């Protein structure tokens, strides 16, 4: 007897049920994707081969096949390939065909967007294109308006037309220059407002935004140290654009659902004292970083109060004007329901000190309580043109000061302040920046005041964690610079001292056998354990040319370093 057995063909698992049918479809898609991957791998392998003279035709066919295969790849695979490329390489790869170009702005490829803009009409079309593509889904957005000296003298739009004969004893030339300056000011402000509106409009409905940072360098919008409201009123006579910007900013805050990082620095009238009230309680409960820096707020108004700060219970990092950081705020941050604050950045600006009182600032007991609550708290402070007597009030002994940046146009830092810092903050201090924009470079102030011990040398000796020291506009004696390098050695990662700030003793200059400059470079390099040179071009130091930008960027990295 013969038995005929029918062997069933293997079918994909679970094919009989509806759920099984879905698994079959998924299985088939995976098989198809795997086949496409194998085909692409084979094409790439064929390209790597070097066909000889006899196989030149075969190599030519491989190239044609590769082009056709790349165009037929599924979008998911193209996006996966793009994910391994840097942003410039993505742009180059997207130029291969229209299909690849359509996959360029896939949301998963652009979770972060960092834009640095010149305040120029040429930037607007590119900004509009980029924000139209990414503004509705980007999760981290940082926009900076580049600090360029648009309003510096010389040149600019025709270099003085009509100046032709220095008639009217130069009076006519001055009037022409003033008119040109006014025209350029109006163009800068008009462009600035348009760029800000472009950014805000594009993200107004973005509910996925998690980090939002805006920086507008006030040097672009200032003239001789004060905001020119005259020009602003000409560009925006009824204040409609400013109101629109403020309303858009509040709308973005009210629509946000995942915002954890909000940073706004030196933007022109974008943040108001009522802006933060637009944030929902669910967002304030999860906010981790908040920075509001604006020294153009009139009168005694502040951008955030202690009552509002109570809503931000999970705040780990905070950046404010020092005059806005009151004793009541310090008490709020020490409450048991608030997580320990880890980073605090404070801007001490002469404008705010003039209009606001220092009477409400935290005393030493408040700082002690805050340090007990937040054992990892570190403070970053920038003092802009602050008098020495005010700094003596501000620098409480219990502040866990890690970084301090002095920048002066009018006042100078005294040796007593430097000595106080080295004694009070020797356990924490890592960054010390001393900048003085002096017009007369022939006589820089000497903070040593003919003492036996130079305050800067004592700072290097006492502050064992010092890793960055930058000095310009103050006299630094060559032998003291050598002593600083030897004291801190390789732990001092950055030592930037401008050449014009360095001075030599008469004895060093009188020694004909030794070149004092060469000896200084050699000794400092030996002390640091790395090649060292004085800063020759002060314009190369962003900390000097763009102090607000430097402080803002350092504050960002300081807060992200938690």
């Amino acid at each position: 007897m013969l038995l005929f057995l029918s062997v069933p063909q293997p079918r994909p698992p679970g094919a009989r049920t509806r759920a099984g049918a879905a698994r079959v479809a998924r299985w088939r898609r995976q098989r198809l994707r795997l086949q496409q991957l194998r085909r692409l791998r084979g094409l790439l392998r064929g390209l790597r081969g070097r066909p000889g003279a006899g196989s030149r035709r075969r190599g030519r066919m491989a190239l044609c096949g590769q082009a056709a295969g790349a165009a037929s790849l599924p979008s998911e695979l193209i996006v996966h390939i793009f994910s391994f490329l840097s942003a410039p390489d993505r742009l180059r790869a997207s130029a291969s065909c229209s299909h690849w170009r359509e996959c360029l702005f896939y949301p998963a490829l652009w979770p972060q967007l960092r834009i640095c803009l010149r305040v120029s009409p040429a930037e607007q079309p590119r900004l509009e294109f980029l924000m139209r593509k990414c503004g509705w889904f980007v999760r981290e957005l940082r926009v900076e308006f580049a600090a360029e000296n648009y309003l510096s003298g010389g040149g600019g739009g025709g270099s003085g037309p009509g100046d032709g004969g220095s008639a009217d004893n130069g009076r006519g030339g001055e009037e022409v220059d003033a008119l040109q300056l006014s025209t350029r000011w109006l163009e800068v402000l008009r462009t600035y407002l348009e760029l800000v509106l472009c950014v805000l409009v594009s993200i107004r409905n973005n509910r996925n935004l998690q980090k939002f940072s805006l920086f507008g360098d006030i040097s672009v919008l200032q003239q001789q140290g004060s905001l020119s409201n005259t020009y602003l009123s000409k560009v925006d006579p009824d204040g409609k654009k400013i109101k629109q910007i403020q309303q858009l900013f509040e709308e973005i805050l009210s629509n946000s659902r995942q915002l954890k990082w909000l940073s706004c620095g030196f933007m022109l009238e974008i943040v108001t004292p009522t802006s933060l009230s637009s944030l929902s309680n669910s967002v304030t409960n999860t906010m981790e970083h908040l920075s509001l820096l604006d020294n153009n707020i009139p009168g005694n108004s502040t951008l955030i109060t202690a009552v509002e700060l109570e809503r931000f219970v999970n705040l780990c990092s905070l950046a404010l004007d020092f005059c806005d950081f009151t004793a009541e705020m310090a008490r709020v941050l020490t409450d048991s329901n608030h997580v320990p604050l880890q980073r605090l950045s404070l801007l001490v600006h002469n404008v705010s000190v003039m209009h606001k009182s220092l009477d409400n600032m935290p005393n030493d007991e408040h700082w002690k309580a805050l340090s007990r609550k937040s054992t990892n708290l570190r403070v970053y402070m920038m003092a802009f043109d602050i008098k020495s007597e005010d700094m003596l009030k501000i620098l409480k002994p219990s502040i866990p000061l890690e970084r301090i940046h002095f920048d002066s146009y009018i006042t100078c830092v005294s040796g007593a302040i430097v000595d106080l810092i080295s004694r009070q903050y020797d356990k924490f201090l890592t960054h010390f920046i001393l900048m003085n924009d002096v017009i007369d470079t022939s006589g820089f102030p000497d903070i040593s005041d003919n003492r036996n011990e130079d305050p800067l040398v004592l700072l290097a000796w006492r502050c064992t964690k010092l890793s960055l020291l930058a000095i310009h506009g103050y006299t630094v004696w060559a032998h003291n610079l050598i002593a600083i390098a030897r004291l801190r050695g390789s732990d001092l990662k950055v030592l930037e001292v401008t050449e014009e700030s360095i001075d030599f003793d008469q004895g060093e200059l009188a020694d004909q056998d030794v070149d004092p400059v060469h000896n200084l470079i050699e000794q400092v390099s030996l002390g640091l354990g790395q090649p060292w040179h004085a800063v020759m071009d002060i314009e190369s130091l962003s900390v000097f040319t763009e102090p607000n930008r430097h402080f803002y960027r350092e504050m960002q990295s300081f807060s992200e370093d938690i």
Side-chain angles (χ1 to χ4, degrees), residues 20 39 62 179 205 211 217 251 284 381 395 430 468 473 518 550:
R39 193 187 313 146
L179 181 61
N205 296 316
K211 285 188 174 184
D217 197 326
E251 186 178 347
T284 56
M381 188 180 295
L395 295 173
T430 61
L468 184 147
H518 182 271
H550 177 84

Side-chain angles (χ1 to χ4, degrees), residues 36 39-40 43 63-74 78 99-100:
Q36 291 171 336
R39 193 187 313 146
L40 176 64
L43 292 172
L63 283 174
C64 294
Q66 188 262 353
S72 62
L73 290 175
I78 298 173
H99 183 41
W100 283 52

Side-chain angles (χ1 to χ4, degrees), residues 429-433 456-457 459-461 463-471 480-497 524-532:
L429 195 71
T430 61
H431 292 57
F432 186 82
I433 298 175
L456 292 171
V457 176
L459 181 85
W461 174 55
C463 301
T464 56
K465 294 184 178 181
L466 190 68
S467 61
L468 184 147
L469 179 63
I471 304 170
N480 288 330
L481 195 56
I482 295 172
I484 290 171
R486 289 175 177 174
L487 281 168
R488 291 277 51 87
S490 59
D491 293 334
L492 190 59
K493 305 299 182 185
V494 178
L495 177 61
E496 291 183 335
V497 183
V524 173
S525 299
L526 285 173
L528 296 176
Q530 61 179 340
W532 177 89

Side-chain angles (χ1 to χ4, degrees), residues 234-252:
K234 291 181 180 179
V235 172
D236 188 22
D238 300 325
K240 290 183 179 179
K241 285 190 177 180
I242 291 294
K243 290 177 182 177
Q244 185 182 0
I245 287 173
Q246 294 172 351
Q247 290 172 358
L248 282 170
F249 185 72
E250 292 181 4
E251 186 178 347
I252 292 167

Side-chain angles (χ1 to χ4, degrees), residues 262-291:
L262 178 61
S263 181
C264 191
F266 312 112
M267 295 294 293
L268 175 61
E269 297 189 32
I270 185 172
V271 185
T272 66
T274 61
S275 295
L276 292 182
S277 61
S278 303
L279 287 169
S280 64
N281 288 331
S282 61
V283 172
T284 56
N285 285 336
T286 58
M287 187 82 74
E288 297 175 357
H289 170 85
L290 178 65
S291 60

Side-chain angles (χ1 to χ4, degrees), residues 143-424:
V143 183
E144 293 186 7
F145 294 93
E148 291 188 3
N149 196 9
Y150 296 97
L151 309 179
S152 60
S159 75
D163 194 20
S166 50
D168 299 332
N169 297 324
R171 191 61 180 249
E174 292 178 3
E175 292 176 357
V176 170
D177 290 341
L179 181 61
Q180 288 180 345
L181 182 64
S182 175
T183 304
R184 287 153 60 196
W185 253 107
L186 293 174
E187 181 184 354
V188 166
L189 287 175
R190 187 179 293 108
T191 304
Y192 172 83
L193 294 178
E194 291 297 331
L195 295 178
V196 173
L197 280 170
C198 175
V199 172
L200 298 184
V201 167
S202 64
I203 62 170
R204 64 193 302 177
N205 296 316
N206 185 343
R207 293 176 178 265
N208 297 318
L209 196 62
Q210 296 179 2
K211 285 188 174 184
F212 184 34
S213 300
L214 280 175
F215 172 81
D217 197 326
I218 55 174
S219 66
V220 176
L221 304 168
Q222 283 189 334
Q223 183 182 29
Q224 299 177 349
S226 62
L227 183 64
S228 179
N229 292 320
T230 304
Y231 295 114
L232 185 59
S233 62
K234 291 181 180 179
V235 172
D236 188 22
D238 300 325
K240 290 183 179 179
K241 285 190 177 180
I242 291 294
K243 290 177 182 177
Q244 185 182 0
I245 287 173
Q246 294 172 351
Q247 290 172 358
L248 282 170
F249 185 72
E250 292 181 4
E251 186 178 347
I252 292 167
L253 298 186
S254 63
N255 288 335
S256 62
R257 294 294 179 268
Q258 304 181 41
L259 196 63
K260 297 181 183 297
W261 180 291
L262 178 61
S263 181
C264 191
F266 312 112
M267 295 294 293
L268 175 61
E269 297 189 32
I270 185 172
V271 185
T272 66
T274 61
S275 295
L276 292 182
S277 61
S278 303
L279 287 169
S280 64
N281 288 331
S282 61
V283 172
T284 56
N285 285 336
T286 58
M287 187 82 74
E288 297 175 357
H289 170 85
L290 178 65
S291 60
L292 300 173
L293 299 168
D294 190 351
N295 51 27
N296 289 313
I297 295 297
N300 294 322
S301 59
T302 59
L303 297 178
I304 183 172
T305 63
V307 175
E308 283 183 312
L309 190 62
E310 290 178 352
R311 297 202 298 158
F312 297 84
V313 293
N314 282 295
L315 209 60
C316 299
S317 174
L318 179 64
L320 290 175
D321 190 289
F322 182 83
C323 293
D324 292 343
F325 187 70
T326 61
E328 185 62 21
M329 281 192 176
R331 186 199 62 76
V332 169
L333 294 172
T334 57
D335 286 345
S336 58
N337 66 332
H338 200 289
V339 301
L341 190 70
Q342 299 189 45
R343 296 291 183 269
L344 178 61
S345 301
L346 298 170
L347 176 67
V348 192
H349 200 283
N350 62 330
V351 175
S352 59
V353 171
M354 282 192 307
H355 291 92
K356 302 174 184 179
S357 173
L358 293 174
D359 296 337
N360 297 324
M361 67 180 180
N363 58 30
D364 201 50
E365 292 302 318
H366 293 122
W367 284 109
K368 286 180 180 178
L370 189 55
S371 297
R372 284 194 300 268
K373 164 72 176 181
S374 310
T375 55
N376 294 323
L377 176 64
R378 296 295 179 267
V379 177
Y380 177 23
M381 188 180 295
M382 177 178 176
F384 193 90
D385 258 334
I386 304 299
K387 299 177 182 177
S388 295
E389 52 267 29
D390 289 330
M391 286 306 303
L392 291 172
K393 297 177 185 176
I394 291 168
L395 295 173
K396 303 298 182 185
S398 299
I399 300 178
L401 187 66
E402 183 179 281
R403 307 181 183 194
I404 189 162
H405 175 181
F406 288 102
D407 201 288
S408 305
Y409 287 90
I410 304 170
T411 61
C412 294
V413 176
S414 65
I417 296 296
V418 179
D419 188 60
L420 179 69
I421 291 171
S422 67
R423 284 188 286 105
Q424 291 188 165

Side-chain angles (χ1 to χ4, degrees), residues 507-515:
E508 294 174 304
L509 297 175
D511 190 352
Q512 300 294 328
D513 298 330
V514 179
D515 180 2

